[in-house]
Amino acid sequence: MFDDSDPRKALLRTAPAEATATGPFCLPQVGRFHEDPPLATGTGWRAWMLGASRMVLRVVELDGTAEFARSGQLDEYMVFALEPSVRFTITTGAGAVEDHPGNHLFIVPPGDSRVTLQGRGTVTFVFTARSADLVAQCPPAARPAAPNPCIPPFQPWPDPPGGFRLRAYDLDVPVQEGRFGRIFRCTTLMVNILPRFTAPRDAAKVSPHFHASFEQVSLTLAGEFEHFLRWPWTPDQAHWLPDLRIACSSPSATVLPPPALHTTLWLSPESQIVDIFAPPRMDFSQRAGWVLNAEDYPMARTEIE
């Protein structure tokens, strides 16, 4: 049900959710970082956490200096900021950057790493749920209450040729007709940093759709948003869930669980949203030119949703 102007209309179709869903279904998690008390603070920074079935977000509001370290990290993670004024110093066992400007996305290799932030802006870290210590830091209301039976076990994608290393990608990417956002992937994650919207969304051109077997985390970094969700009706009425309308300011993050039909309205003249998936989406990866760092990371051989 994509609007004709939405590049995702060209994606391969799956069977209707009503034909494949059996229930029971899971509700979304919502992190309203703009109003919730931070989970951690320091001189010049505040941080919030949100857990999903396959990933963990740490969102940092920075006005000064902050440092975050990982020891024996199992897999790759991502960190990014859209503000060029944020400066990154990242050290790993497979590369380093010093005083690197923001408006970049970094893919940090497994093992030990240290990320030092300076400046003012919002910085987002994205990990997989394999980092059990980070999952445990998420508030109970901000992580799944139970496993989602629609989501298969996590399976990372193939290792990058030449091995893991610290990678930096410039987010100053011009909009291209027919390409959906600015998509980057690694072995564990996919991030789509959509262009900044300069006007509220036309309510006559929304694109309600569903994912059969993977969740989507929608991170809002600027503006006011409304997420709309609707679940299939199955033969067992005990599995039915009421429609949801989730209003949130920024920053915030909402987990959109399968197989809920969903769409989003941005209500402000200046709005920014980032969609995050774990592992990478096969349908996005199969579209030529959509994944901007596709040459660095091979696709999985079979479809993993």
Side-chain angles (χ1 to χ4, degrees), residues 30-44:
V30 183
R32 292 184 171 87
F33 311 135
H34 56 90
E35 63 182 32
D36 294 340
L39 291 182
T41 61
T43 303

Side-chain angles (χ1 to χ4, degrees), residues 107-170:
I107 297 177
V108 184
D112 297 346
S113 58
R114 186 174 301 273
V115 179
T116 303
L117 310 169
Q118 292 182 299
R120 184 175 184 178
T122 302
V123 182
T124 303
F125 294 75
V126 189
F127 305 88
T128 71
R130 296 177 68 196
S131 295
D133 62 316
L134 297 177
V135 173
Q137 293 177 34
C138 299
R143 60 177 187 247
N148 189 327
C150 297
I151 301 177
F154 179 84
Q155 179 63 49
W157 280 30
D159 291 355
F164 295 102
R165 62 179 177 85
L166 178 64
R167 302 172 191 270
Y169 298 102
D170 193 344

Side-chain angles (χ1 to χ4, degrees), residues 81-84 100-105 168-176 179 181-182 184 193 195 292:
L82 275 59
E83 298 91 348
H100 196 292
N103 201 33
H104 277 73
L105 178 144
Y169 298 102
D170 193 344
L171 299 180
D172 188 12
V173 179
V175 175
Q176 179 178 317
R179 191 188 70 221
R182 292 166 287 177
F184 299 88
I193 301 172
L292 298 175

